Each structure stands twice: as structure tokens, then as C-alpha cells.
Amino acid sequence: MDDPRANMQDNRLIALGAPRADWTKTPGRSLGFWITLAGFVLALVLPFGGVIAVLVGLAYSMRALRVMPAGVHGRGLVLIALGIAAVTVVVVVARGILGA
């Protein structure tokens, strides 16, 4: 084959790399974070309403987490939302046990 395009040593397109997907625009990533954060704030005042809001935010975050591969840029916001959801559940359970 004598096609000059097949010469990979002098091909500068390989140095450019493959296009990268923009995972920061994953549906549910930022919306899940903000709903989870609002649910945490709401849980401090109304525990039951806060848990419901956190569960809605958690559903959005989990949907985004299933789509995003490990180690991509933008996945940290989803993991922070999961952490906030866990802290909210612990706070609500502690308030229920302490009876405050």
C-alpha cells in the first residue's frame, strides 16, 4: 500500500489526541448537587421534608454517576452530593434518636 496518508510516523493528527467528552454537562450532575444541598439545609428545620428533598437530589446524582466513568472531570460534584446525602441522613436519624 503506497498511500501517503497511511504513513503514521509523520502524521500529526495522532499527536492531537482523541476528542474528550465533556462530562461536566452530564444531566443531573449540578441539579442533583443543588437539590441535595437544599435538602440538607431544609433537614435542619424540617427533618422529613429535608430527607425527601435529599432523596430527590440523590436520585439525580445517582443517574449522573451511572453515566460518568471513574476519574473524569466533574465527577467530584456528584460524590460531594452523595456525601451530603449521607450526612443529612445521619443528622435526621440523630435528631430522631435524641428527640430534639
Side-chain angles (χ1 to χ4, degrees):
M1 179 172 195
D2 294 329
D3 190 0
R5 292 174 293 177
N7 185 5
M8 297 306 253
Q9 290 177 335
D10 296 328
N11 192 347
R12 294 181 177 236
L13 293 176
I14 292 180
L16 294 175
R20 297 183 184 181
D22 187 13
W23 295 103
T24 59
K25 293 187 176 29
T26 304
R29 185 183 75 94
S30 60
L31 180 63
F33 171 76
W34 287 113
I35 292 175
T36 305
L37 188 63
F40 174 73
V41 173
L42 185 62
L44 298 176
V45 180
L46 300 170
F48 186 70
V51 168
I52 291 175
V54 163
L55 289 177
V56 170
L58 187 62
Y60 280 113
S61 295
M62 290 303 293
R63 185 174 67 177
L65 187 64
R66 280 190 299 251
V67 173
M68 300 172 79
V72 297
H73 182 72
R75 189 175 166 113
L77 192 64
V78 175
L79 297 177
I80 290 171
L82 296 176
I84 291 172
V87 168
T88 303
V89 170
V90 168
V91 166
V92 169
V93 168
R95 282 186 67 181
I97 289 173
L98 295 175

